[in-house]
Amino acid sequence: MSRINDVGGMTGFAAIVQEPDEPPFHADWEAHVLALNGALIRRGIYNLDEFRDAQERLPVPQYLAASYYERWFAAIRVLLVEKGVATAADLELPHG
Amino acid sequence: MADRFAPGDRVRTRAADPDGHTRLPRYARGAIGTVVERAGAHPLADERARGGAPDAHAVHHVRFAAADLFGAGDHAVVVELWEDYLEEAP
């Protein structure tokens, strides 16, 4: 099953935007997502390949519309539910 | 475990499009290349993505002619591939 992440060598996409002096993160929440993913992997909740697989299983329109760290966050949410760490309802709770 | 392939061997990558996660990129499927060097041994990502804890399998750097992969280009492309993705080229 060819997945939407696997587009190397495929033509028809818009040009890649080159960002001079690109910062590691464009918003604080992106750094939190990076840290959260690392913590979950180190805790053994899931492994790196399960994380990659979860990104590849995102619905294609969602994958293509999402930024890099939005894909990460979506995959983390998928895995938290699949691994029984949280319910889908838990993830919708407002934070406060 | 002895490697099935050595530097200089001609190999063909699997053409099959697997159901789940794989680290054999679509552009490099069914292509003929040459083994450059061994690149260690690691659990196969395809199996690990299904939650398993498989044994380490040999990984090789394999050189392809860009024209063989993309139909154009006079440079070479080296891809890091698990031995599981490779068979002897005829």
Side-chain angles (χ1 to χ4, degrees):
Chain A
M1 176 175 57
S2 291
R3 296 175 167 201
I4 192 58
N5 64 296
D6 191 9
V7 296
M10 190 185 295
T11 59
F13 291 95
I16 294 172
V17 176
Q18 303 269 1
E19 190 176 350
D21 302 319
E22 183 179 6
F25 305 105
H26 289 84
D28 285 347
W29 68 264
E30 295 183 339
H32 286 266
V33 166
L34 177 86
L36 175 62
N37 190 53
L40 290 167
I41 288 175
R42 279 190 295 277
R43 285 284 297 273
I45 305 299
Y46 52 81
N47 68 45
L48 178 61
D49 297 299
E50 291 176 295
F51 173 63
R52 287 173 170 147
D53 178 67
Q55 287 189 70
E56 296 166 14
R57 288 189 281 121
L58 295 173
V60 171
Q62 181 184 357
Y63 186 99
L64 290 175
S67 71
Y68 184 75
Y69 282 109
E70 285 170 350
R71 286 173 194 153
W72 278 42
F73 189 49
I76 290 169
R77 291 171 63 104
V78 165
L79 287 165
L80 286 177
V81 173
E82 288 181 356
K83 297 294 185 178
V85 176
T87 66
D90 290 337
L91 298 177
E92 297 304 326
L93 289 174
H95 303 283
Chain B
M1 184 179 70
D3 287 5
R4 283 170 57 210
F5 304 109
D9 284 355
R10 276 163 52 84
V11 292
R12 184 197 296 275
T13 60
R14 283 188 186 167
D17 191 3
D19 275 344
H21 177 71
T22 183
R23 301 292 283 171
L24 172 58
R26 176 162 36 179
Y27 66 78
R29 288 184 195 145
I32 291 179
T34 303
V35 173
V36 177
E37 63 186 350
R38 182 177 171 133
H42 306 275
L44 182 63
D46 307 39
E47 295 173 358
R48 234 174 143 244
R50 295 193 284 270
D55 297 334
H57 295 206
V59 176
H60 299 278
H61 290 158
V62 182
R63 182 190 294 112
F64 302 91
D68 288 345
L69 303 182
F70 307 118
D74 54 10
H75 58 289
V77 177
V78 175
V79 187
E80 202 169 66
L81 298 171
W82 267 279
E83 201 164 76
D84 304 69
Y85 302 152
L86 306 174
E87 59 188 39
E88 287 179 34

Coordinates of all heavy atoms in Angstrom, one line a residue, chain B residues 15-70:
Chain B
A15 N 9.8 -5.5 -5.5 CA 8.9 -4.6 -6.2 C 7.5 -4.6 -5.4 O 6.7 -3.7 -5.7 CB 8.7 -5.2 -7.6
A16 N 7.3 -5.5 -4.5 CA 6.0 -5.6 -3.8 C 5.8 -4.3 -3.0 O 6.7 -3.7 -2.4 CB 6.0 -6.8 -2.9
D17 N 4.5 -3.9 -3.0 CA 4.1 -2.7 -2.3 C 3.4 -3.2 -1.0 O 2.3 -3.7 -1.0 CB 3.1 -1.9 -3.1 CG 2.8 -0.6 -2.5 OD1 3.3 -0.2 -1.5 OD2 1.9 0.1 -3.1
P18 N 4.1 -3.2 0.2 CA 3.6 -3.9 1.4 C 2.4 -3.1 2.0 O 2.2 -1.9 1.7 CB 4.8 -3.9 2.3 CG 5.6 -2.7 1.9 CD 5.4 -2.6 0.4
D19 N 1.6 -3.8 2.8 CA 0.4 -3.2 3.4 C 0.7 -2.1 4.4 O 0.0 -1.1 4.5 CB -0.4 -4.3 4.1 CG -1.3 -5.1 3.2 OD1 -1.5 -4.6 2.1 OD2 -1.7 -6.2 3.5
G20 N 1.8 -2.3 5.1 CA 2.0 -1.4 6.2 C 3.3 -0.6 6.0 O 3.7 -0.3 4.9
H21 N 3.9 -0.1 7.2 CA 5.0 0.7 7.1 C 6.2 0.0 6.5 O 6.4 -1.2 6.8 CB 5.4 1.1 8.6 CG 6.6 1.9 8.7 ND1 6.7 3.3 8.2 CD2 7.8 1.7 9.2 CE1 7.9 3.7 8.5 NE2 8.6 2.8 9.0
T22 N 7.0 0.6 5.8 CA 8.3 0.1 5.2 C 9.3 1.2 5.1 O 8.9 2.4 5.0 CB 8.0 -0.6 3.9 OG1 9.3 -1.2 3.5 CG2 7.6 0.3 2.8
R23 N 10.6 0.8 5.0 CA 11.6 1.8 4.8 C 12.2 1.6 3.4 O 13.3 2.2 3.2 CB 12.7 1.7 5.9 CG 12.1 2.0 7.3 CD 11.7 3.4 7.6 NE 12.8 4.3 7.8 CZ 12.6 5.6 7.9 NH1 11.4 6.1 7.8 NH2 13.6 6.4 8.1
L24 N 11.6 0.9 2.6 CA 12.0 0.8 1.2 C 11.2 1.8 0.4 O 10.0 1.6 0.2 CB 11.8 -0.6 0.6 CG 12.0 -0.8 -0.9 CD1 13.4 -0.4 -1.3 CD2 11.7 -2.2 -1.3
P25 N 11.8 2.9 0.0 CA 11.0 4.0 -0.6 C 10.4 3.5 -1.9 O 10.9 2.7 -2.7 CB 11.9 5.1 -0.9 CG 13.3 4.7 -0.4 CD 13.2 3.3 0.1
R26 N 9.2 4.0 -2.2 CA 8.5 3.6 -3.5 C 9.4 3.8 -4.7 O 9.3 3.0 -5.6 CB 7.2 4.4 -3.6 CG 6.4 4.2 -4.8 CD 5.0 4.7 -4.7 NE 4.8 5.9 -3.9 CZ 3.6 6.5 -3.7 NH1 2.5 5.9 -4.3 NH2 3.5 7.6 -3.0
Y27 N 10.2 4.9 -4.7 CA 10.9 5.2 -5.9 C 12.0 4.2 -6.2 O 12.6 4.1 -7.3 CB 11.5 6.6 -5.9 CG 12.6 6.9 -4.8 CD1 13.9 6.4 -5.0 CD2 12.3 7.6 -3.7 CE1 14.8 6.6 -4.0 CE2 13.2 7.8 -2.7 CZ 14.5 7.3 -2.9 OH 15.4 7.5 -1.9
A28 N 12.4 3.4 -5.1 CA 13.5 2.4 -5.2 C 13.0 1.0 -5.3 O 13.8 0.1 -5.2 CB 14.4 2.6 -4.0
R29 N 11.7 0.8 -5.6 CA 11.2 -0.6 -5.6 C 11.4 -1.2 -7.0 O 11.2 -0.5 -8.0 CB 9.7 -0.6 -5.3 CG 9.5 -0.4 -3.9 CD 8.0 -0.5 -3.5 NE 7.8 0.1 -2.1 CZ 6.8 0.8 -1.7 NH1 5.7 0.9 -2.5 NH2 6.7 1.3 -0.5
G30 N 11.8 -2.5 -7.0 CA 12.0 -3.2 -8.3 C 13.2 -2.7 -9.1 O 13.3 -2.9 -10.3
A31 N 14.2 -2.0 -8.4 CA 15.3 -1.4 -9.1 C 16.6 -2.3 -8.9 O 16.7 -3.0 -7.8 CB 15.6 0.0 -8.6
I32 N 17.5 -2.2 -9.8 CA 18.8 -2.9 -9.7 C 19.9 -2.0 -9.3 O 20.0 -0.9 -9.9 CB 19.1 -3.6 -11.0 CG1 18.1 -4.8 -11.2 CG2 20.6 -4.2 -11.0 CD1 18.4 -5.6 -12.5
G33 N 20.6 -2.3 -8.3 CA 21.7 -1.5 -7.8 C 22.9 -2.3 -7.3 O 22.9 -3.5 -7.5
T34 N 23.9 -1.7 -6.7 CA 25.1 -2.3 -6.3 C 25.4 -2.1 -4.8 O 25.3 -0.9 -4.4 CB 26.3 -1.8 -7.1 OG1 26.1 -2.0 -8.5 CG2 27.6 -2.6 -6.8
V35 N 25.7 -3.1 -4.1 CA 26.0 -3.0 -2.7 C 27.3 -2.2 -2.5 O 28.3 -2.6 -3.1 CB 26.0 -4.4 -2.0 CG1 26.5 -4.2 -0.5 CG2 24.7 -5.1 -2.0
V36 N 27.3 -1.2 -1.7 CA 28.5 -0.4 -1.4 C 29.2 -0.8 -0.2 O 30.4 -1.0 -0.2 CB 28.1 1.1 -1.3 CG1 29.3 2.0 -1.0 CG2 27.4 1.6 -2.5
E37 N 28.5 -1.0 0.9 CA 29.1 -1.4 2.2 C 28.0 -1.8 3.1 O 26.8 -1.5 3.0 CB 29.8 -0.2 2.8 CG 28.9 1.0 3.1 CD 29.6 2.3 3.6 OE1 30.8 2.2 3.8 OE2 28.9 3.3 3.6
R38 N 28.4 -2.5 4.2 CA 27.4 -2.8 5.2 C 27.2 -1.6 6.1 O 28.1 -0.8 6.3 CB 28.0 -4.0 6.1 CG 27.1 -4.4 7.2 CD 27.6 -5.6 8.0 NE 26.7 -5.8 9.1 CZ 26.3 -7.0 9.5 NH1 26.6 -8.0 8.8 NH2 25.5 -7.1 10.5
A39 N 26.0 -1.5 6.6 CA 25.6 -0.4 7.4 C 25.0 -0.9 8.7 O 24.0 -0.4 9.2 CB 24.6 0.5 6.7
G40 N 25.6 -1.8 9.3 CA 25.2 -2.3 10.6 C 24.0 -3.3 10.5 O 23.7 -3.8 9.5
A41 N 23.4 -3.5 11.7 CA 22.3 -4.5 11.8 C 21.3 -3.9 12.7 O 21.6 -3.4 13.8 CB 22.7 -5.8 12.2
H42 N 20.0 -3.9 12.3 CA 19.0 -3.2 13.1 C 17.6 -4.0 13.0 O 17.4 -4.6 12.0 CB 18.8 -1.8 12.6 CG 20.0 -1.0 12.6 ND1 20.5 -0.3 13.7 CD2 20.9 -0.8 11.6 CE1 21.6 0.3 13.4 NE2 21.9 0.0 12.2
P43 N 16.8 -3.9 14.0 CA 15.5 -4.5 13.9 C 14.7 -4.0 12.7 O 14.8 -2.8 12.4 CB 14.8 -4.1 15.2 CG 15.9 -3.9 16.2 CD 17.0 -3.3 15.3
L44 N 14.0 -4.8 12.0 CA 13.4 -4.4 10.8 C 12.2 -3.5 11.1 O 11.3 -3.9 11.8 CB 12.9 -5.7 10.0 CG 12.2 -5.4 8.7 CD1 13.1 -4.8 7.7 CD2 11.7 -6.8 8.1
A45 N 12.2 -2.3 10.6 CA 11.2 -1.3 10.9 C 9.8 -1.8 10.5 O 8.8 -1.5 11.2 CB 11.5 0.0 10.1
D46 N 9.6 -2.5 9.4 CA 8.3 -3.0 9.0 C 7.7 -3.9 10.1 O 6.5 -3.8 10.3 CB 8.5 -3.9 7.7 CG 9.2 -3.2 6.6 OD1 10.2 -2.5 6.9 OD2 8.8 -3.4 5.5
E47 N 8.5 -4.7 10.8 CA 8.0 -5.5 11.9 C 7.8 -4.7 13.2 O 6.8 -4.9 13.9 CB 9.0 -6.7 12.1 CG 9.1 -7.7 11.0 CD 10.1 -8.7 11.1 OE1 10.8 -8.7 12.2 OE2 10.3 -9.6 10.2
R48 N 8.8 -3.8 13.4 CA 8.7 -3.0 14.6 C 7.5 -2.1 14.6 O 6.9 -1.8 15.7 CB 10.0 -2.2 14.8 CG 10.7 -2.3 16.1 CD 12.0 -1.6 16.1 NE 12.2 -1.0 17.4 CZ 12.3 0.3 17.6 NH1 12.2 1.1 16.6 NH2 12.4 0.7 18.9
A49 N 7.1 -1.6 13.4 CA 5.9 -0.8 13.3 C 4.6 -1.5 13.7 O 3.6 -0.8 14.0 CB 5.8 -0.2 11.9
R50 N 4.7 -2.8 13.8 CA 3.5 -3.6 14.2 C 3.6 -3.9 15.7 O 2.9 -4.8 16.2 CB 3.4 -4.9 13.4 CG 3.0 -4.5 11.9 CD 2.6 -5.8 11.1 NE 3.7 -6.7 10.8 CZ 4.4 -6.6 9.7 NH1 4.1 -5.7 8.8 NH2 5.3 -7.5 9.4
G51 N 4.6 -3.3 16.4 CA 4.7 -3.5 17.8 C 5.6 -4.6 18.2 O 5.7 -4.9 19.4
G52 N 6.2 -5.3 17.3 CA 7.1 -6.4 17.7 C 8.5 -5.9 18.1 O 8.8 -4.7 18.1
A53 N 9.3 -6.8 18.6 CA 10.6 -6.5 19.0 C 11.5 -7.5 18.3 O 12.1 -8.4 18.9 CB 10.8 -6.7 20.5
P54 N 11.6 -7.4 17.0 CA 12.3 -8.4 16.2 C 13.9 -8.3 16.3 O 14.4 -7.4 16.9 CB 12.0 -8.1 14.7 CG 11.7 -6.6 14.8 CD 11.1 -6.3 16.1
D55 N 14.5 -9.4 15.9 CA 16.0 -9.5 15.9 C 16.6 -8.5 14.9 O 15.9 -8.0 14.0 CB 16.5 -10.9 15.6 CG 16.1 -11.9 16.6 OD1 15.8 -11.5 17.7 OD2 15.9 -13.1 16.2
A56 N 17.8 -8.1 15.1 CA 18.5 -7.2 14.2 C 18.8 -8.0 12.8 O 19.1 -9.1 12.8 CB 19.8 -6.8 14.8
H57 N 18.5 -7.2 11.8 CA 18.8 -7.7 10.4 C 19.9 -6.8 9.8 O 19.9 -5.6 10.0 CB 17.5 -7.7 9.5 CG 16.5 -8.6 10.0 ND1 15.5 -9.2 9.2 CD2 16.2 -9.1 11.3 CE1 14.7 -9.9 9.9 NE2 15.1 -9.9 11.1
A58 N 20.7 -7.4 8.9 CA 21.7 -6.6 8.2 C 21.1 -5.5 7.4 O 20.1 -5.7 6.8 CB 22.6 -7.5 7.4
V59 N 21.8 -4.4 7.4 CA 21.5 -3.2 6.5 C 22.7 -2.9 5.6 O 23.8 -3.1 6.0 CB 21.2 -2.0 7.4 CG1 20.9 -0.8 6.6 CG2 20.0 -2.3 8.4
H60 N 22.4 -2.5 4.4 CA 23.4 -2.2 3.4 C 23.2 -0.9 2.8 O 22.0 -0.5 2.6 CB 23.4 -3.3 2.3 CG 23.7 -4.7 2.8 ND1 25.0 -5.2 3.0 CD2 22.8 -5.7 3.0 CE1 24.9 -6.4 3.4 NE2 23.6 -6.8 3.4
H61 N 24.2 -0.2 2.4 CA 24.1 0.9 1.5 C 24.2 0.4 0.0 O 25.1 -0.3 -0.3 CB 25.3 1.9 1.7 CG 25.2 2.6 3.0 ND1 26.3 3.2 3.7 CD2 24.1 2.8 3.8 CE1 25.9 3.7 4.8 NE2 24.6 3.5 4.9
V62 N 23.2 0.8 -0.7 CA 23.0 0.3 -2.1 C 23.0 1.5 -3.1 O 22.2 2.4 -2.9 CB 21.8 -0.6 -2.3 CG1 21.7 -1.1 -3.7 CG2 21.7 -1.7 -1.3
R63 N 23.9 1.4 -4.1 CA 24.0 2.5 -5.0 C 23.2 2.2 -6.3 O 23.3 1.1 -6.9 CB 25.5 2.8 -5.4 CG 25.6 3.9 -6.4 CD 27.0 4.0 -7.0 NE 28.1 4.3 -6.0 CZ 29.0 3.5 -5.6 NH1 29.1 2.3 -6.2 NH2 29.9 3.8 -4.7
F64 N 22.4 3.2 -6.7 CA 21.6 3.1 -7.9 C 22.0 4.2 -8.9 O 22.3 5.3 -8.4 CB 20.1 3.2 -7.6 CG 19.6 2.2 -6.6 CD1 19.6 2.5 -5.3 CD2 19.1 1.0 -7.1 CE1 19.1 1.5 -4.4 CE2 18.6 0.0 -6.2 CZ 18.6 0.3 -4.8
A65 N 21.8 4.0 -10.2 CA 21.9 5.1 -11.1 C 20.6 5.8 -11.1 O 19.5 5.3 -11.1 CB 22.1 4.5 -12.5
A66 N 20.7 7.2 -10.9 CA 19.5 8.0 -10.8 C 18.5 7.8 -12.0 O 17.3 7.7 -11.8 CB 19.9 9.5 -10.7
A67 N 19.1 7.5 -13.1 CA 18.3 7.3 -14.3 C 17.4 6.1 -14.2 O 16.3 6.0 -14.7 CB 19.1 7.3 -15.6
D68 N 18.0 5.0 -13.5 CA 17.2 3.8 -13.3 C 16.0 4.0 -12.3 O 15.0 3.3 -12.4 CB 18.1 2.7 -12.7 CG 19.1 2.2 -13.7 OD1 18.9 2.5 -14.9 OD2 20.1 1.5 -13.3
L69 N 16.2 5.0 -11.4 CA 15.1 5.2 -10.4 C 14.1 6.2 -11.0 O 12.9 6.1 -10.8 CB 15.7 5.8 -9.1 CG 16.7 4.9 -8.4 CD1 17.1 5.6 -7.1 CD2 16.1 3.5 -8.2
F70 N 14.6 7.3 -11.6 CA 13.7 8.4 -12.0 C 13.6 8.6 -13.5 O 12.9 9.6 -13.9 CB 14.3 9.7 -11.3 CG 14.5 9.6 -9.8 CD1 15.7 9.7 -9.3 CD2 13.4 9.3 -9.0 CE1 15.9 9.6 -7.9 CE2 13.6 9.1 -7.6 CZ 14.9 9.3 -7.1

